[in-house]
Amino acid sequence: MKSTARVVVIGGGVVGCSVLYHLAKNGWTDVMLLERQELTSGSSWHAAGGLFTVVRPNAAAEMHRYTFQIYRELEEERGQPCGFHFTGGLNICRTQDEIDSNAMMQSACRRLGIEGHFISLEEAKEKAPILDTSHMIGAFWEEEGGHVDPASATNAFAAAARQMGATIHRHTPVTATTQRADGTWDVVTEKGTIHAEYIVNAAGLWGREVARMAGIELPLMPVEHHYLVTESIPLIEDLGFELPQINDNETGSYARQEGMGMLLGAYEDKMTHWAKDGTPLNFGHELLPDNLECMEWNFEKSVEIMPVLGQAGVKRVINGPMIFSPDLSPLIGPHPALRNYICANGVMAGFNQGGGIGRVLAEWIIGGEPEIDIFNWDVARFGKFATQKYTEDMTRYFYENRSEKVFPYQSFPAARPQAKSPVHDRLAAAGAVFGTGFGREHATWFAPEGTKAEDSLTYRQPNWWEPVAEEGRAVREAAGLFEYSDMAKFEVSGKRAAEWLDRIMANTLPKPGRLCLSPMLSDKGRVIGDFTISNLGDRYLIVGTYAMQLVFDRHFAKYLPAEDVCLRNVSDELAGLHIAGPKAQEIIAALADRDIDSASFRFMDAADMTLVGIGKVSVLRVSYTGETGYEMYLPRALQPALFDALFETGAAHGLRLCGLRALMMLRLEKSWPAWGLEITSDYNAHECGMMHHVKLDKGAFTGREAAQSYGPARERPITLTVNAGELAVWGDEAIFLNGKPVGYVSSGGWGPVTGQHIALGYVAANAYRADGTYEVELFGKLYKAQLHTQPLYDPTGSRMRG
Ligand SMILES: Cc1cc2nc3c(=O)[nH]c(=O)nc-3n(C[C@H](O)[C@H](O)[C@H](O)COP(=O)(O)OP(=O)(O)OC[C@H]3O[C@@H](n4cnc5c(N)ncnc54)[C@H](O)[C@@H]3O)c2cc1C
């Protein structure tokens, strides 16, 4: 065995083998995979191998689509059989909500060219004659659906990687991983130690144990999962063609043809965790005792639509473990706390996602960054809040509720609350409906008297539609107060603070007492952060998206000098409040110990101020509402006093509590982009329309070279108003021009004072028409949409400057 390799991949399941394949395919052939037993000795050998591509969010769909294609590449170009059955897939719709959900996915998937459409019940029956369609009200056809043989597919990745020069050592368990001072790794096995630049943890069921070797905990929890295989079914024997993959999302079941019988798998409505405290090291090619009772409900529901299942004998029952992250999505990417340590863990659907994960991780390792925005799967989306208990509660909830729809803006009840703001009880008393993000509770809207303080779940206009608009109007007409702690906050100080910040931010740093907005670019010029930077004299305060804080930490650490810069993540140390509206200035003025009229404390000024009776507060004159506004950051202990003081003075001025949904609607009226929706690393600063914040002439900064040579934009951001009537526009809907899909809605909603359905989105650059009448697809129908080249509200920005 060699004693060095550029990358050591730990684990030879489908994910590890795919990572190895993609590294080799992209030219890194000095790569090695270590497997403790035979390849596929975790979840991979007993998987059902079912494939589907119509999923959300879009990045996940792209990963599924790519993986689907890669089986063709392995079979046709590399001569490696995967047992690939390209049968198409059929989604069963029993309710209108399921039809709506499929219609929305169909629209979202147009962006990627993934083909799916509704078919009649007669057509469904033709494609799958085993169906009894009397329980169905609709059927959705996925062109790219099917299944692979799990062992063949895993071995195909491995063999193709070997062909290109990668090495694989079976029966070689990794027993320790230790990091050297230069960030490289020693990977210890009984057969010797390998010195590697990077480690990839692809240890599947043992992802936690392998992570602990490097001193980190990953939020992962194994669960049991059942499927059964029936004896031959005469109806199938006589068919003469293969049945499609059949997904019955509302009953958490999936089925496909296996030989001349059927395979039926289920996300049991009562799930069982397995090996909660640690996966046994001696567990191998084994199954767990089956317990078909737990899928009784799923089975009965499946018999309703596939009666032959009830008549066929059961040939085999599989109860195998797999391992999940809290939200059941993979945990991938460089671990934020360790250099050169790449996670490829918690992969729930490895045969759908493994190819995509291999591609993205090879891009990340070789090129330093992924080519698509993969935040929804990034290991850095979970912080310390993701404890074992949290992971257990979340995996139970999402597994058992897998058959439920996911509605726009839905907040899930599991594992809550984790962390609260100091004024949480005051917000609750005022009728707040809470959401959660990165483990913290935030007020989303306030239920007026007589309205239930709970979201109604619908794809159409929910119960909070009008209350949120009313909150927005209060901000436009008087003043609104937002609890604003959910921001990522960093303090930067030290002799070289300005030099360092200037090097990683694209805008020119603000002068003392001022603030600026700045994108942060990757080496390749993608937008990977969007911040408010305030120069507070003795330090800089950097404010950005709360959920991204570990992603930012990871990026900052890459460039942080050893000395003379002190960087502190103060996201949870400082609380925040934000007041905005025409009366905001008067309200703050009553508390401030200095003049804060618009001449003394101008738009985009920032200062530490003493607020009477409160103490020192960092005040930023800026607002995401488009009104005169102030963001205030202060030690957590001081927040309740400031909250009360603002209300005491604000009452006479009509101050009203507002939730974060109102903020999101207000910024739509200003055509302001939001992180993760309009601004993502899928785009460069030019495409996001952020070049006015990128100062190419300021000297060297990360991403400058790439920004200097940006090509023509592939897509352009647009603002539309949509004639959606009683419906709602939420985001991900396809935008059409002349009957063809040319773009998508990145976020949608309702303008509080403009009273219109507003959609921000992107269209292909060659489909941009300043005078164009576009159409937006809602539930399968096209609705007229008007393009606006100016913000709908206060296009000159006089109100926020005033
Ligand atoms: C019943 C069932 C049905 C399923 N059906 C589907 C399906 O239809 N479609 C789908 O996409 N997915 C399905 N899955 C999920 C799928 O099996 C997993 O997503 C996938 O197998 C995960 O692969 P992996 O490579 O991450 O992990 P694993 O397959 O668990 O592989 C990890 C490997 O790491 C090795 N390893 C661990 N520790 C060490 C160490 N210290 N040193 C060296 N090697 C080590 C292990 O021996 C193992 O071979 C199903 C799962 C189950 C249980």
Side-chain angles (χ1 to χ4, degrees), residues 11 13-15 35-36 41-44 48-50 174 204 347-352:
V14 63
V15 173
E35 165 55 46
R36 120 207 120 100
S41 290
S43 297
S44 293
V174 171
V347 184
M348 172 189 189
F351 294 91
N352 282 285

Side-chain angles (χ1 to χ4, degrees), residues 485-507:
S485 299
D486 279 14
M487 301 301 286
K489 304 165 216 96
F490 300 90
E491 284 184 349
V492 189
S493 57
K495 255 198 320 217
R496 291 173 61 199
E499 179 196 327
W500 176 69
L501 264 182
D502 195 45
R503 189 76 178 73
I504 60 165
M505 297 291 176
N507 204 347

Side-chain angles (χ1 to χ4, degrees), residues 376-458:
N376 285 311
W377 289 7
D378 193 329
V379 62
R381 73 187 181 282
F382 291 107
K384 288 203 182 84
F385 64 90
T387 58
Q388 186 182 358
K389 174 83 173 75
Y390 173 89
T391 309
E392 185 179 335
D393 291 352
M394 292 282 282
T395 47
R396 173 172 301 287
Y397 178 82
F398 283 111
Y399 190 103
E400 292 185 347
N401 291 281
R402 195 165 161 78
S403 53
E404 300 293 321
K405 313 278 160 318
V406 175
F407 292 96
Y409 283 89
Q410 186 174 356
S411 293
F412 302 96
R416 292 175 61 186
Q418 292 293 310
K420 298 175 181 175
S421 75
V423 294
H424 182 92
D425 292 346
R426 288 167 170 79
L427 303 178
V433 179
F434 291 97
T436 180
F438 203 68
R440 283 177 52 90
E441 299 290 311
H442 57 249
T444 58
W445 61 286
F446 289 84
E449 287 272 319
T451 310
K452 200 166 177 203
E454 192 180 295
D455 286 344
S456 64
L457 297 179
T458 171

Side-chain angles (χ1 to χ4, degrees), residues 135 351 617 622 732:
H135 292 272
F351 294 91
V617 180
V622 70
D732 271 1

Side-chain angles (χ1 to χ4, degrees), residues 4-78:
T4 61
R6 209 148 179 206
V7 182
V8 168
V9 178
I10 305 172
V14 63
V15 173
C17 291
S18 168
V19 173
L20 193 76
Y21 169 73
H22 282 88
L23 287 168
K25 183 179 162 187
N26 288 289
W28 278 32
T29 51
D30 179 18
V31 290
M32 184 187 284
L33 184 145
L34 301 176
E35 165 55 46
R36 120 207 120 100
Q37 295 187 349
E38 293 292 345
L39 297 180
T40 75
S41 290
S43 297
S44 293
W45 73 273
H46 54 240
L51 307 174
F52 53 101
T53 44
V54 179
V55 288
R56 294 174 83 186
N58 231 256
E62 169 61 11
M63 296 288 90
H64 281 236
R65 188 192 64 83
Y66 174 81
T67 306
F68 196 81
Q69 278 177 2
I70 205 85
Y71 295 125
R72 246 184 232 133
E73 175 180 313
L74 286 169
E75 291 202 332
E76 291 168 14
E77 292 172 31
R78 311 226 171 236

Side-chain angles (χ1 to χ4, degrees), residues 9-17 33-52 64 71 146-148 150 154 169 171-176 188-189 201-207 209-210 213 223-227 245 254 256 263 265 267 281 283-285 287 318-324 344-354 357:
V9 178
I10 305 172
V14 63
V15 173
C17 291
L33 184 145
L34 301 176
E35 165 55 46
R36 120 207 120 100
Q37 295 187 349
E38 293 292 345
L39 297 180
T40 75
S41 290
S43 297
S44 293
W45 73 273
H46 54 240
L51 307 174
F52 53 101
H64 281 236
Y71 295 125
H147 58 100
V148 282
T154 308
H169 296 276
H171 302 285
T172 312
V174 171
T175 54
V188 182
T189 76
N201 175 350
L205 289 174
W206 296 266
E209 285 69 25
V210 168
M213 292 177 194
V223 305
E224 298 187 8
H225 183 68
H226 281 83
Y227 67 79
Q245 165 92 14
Y254 55 89
R256 67 168 172 83
L263 178 155
Y267 290 86
L281 291 180
F283 188 81
H285 270 249
L287 290 174
I318 303 282
N319 179 18
M322 51 179 163
I323 192 160
F324 291 159
N345 301 102
V347 184
M348 172 189 189
F351 294 91
N352 282 285
Q353 302 167 338
I357 289 173

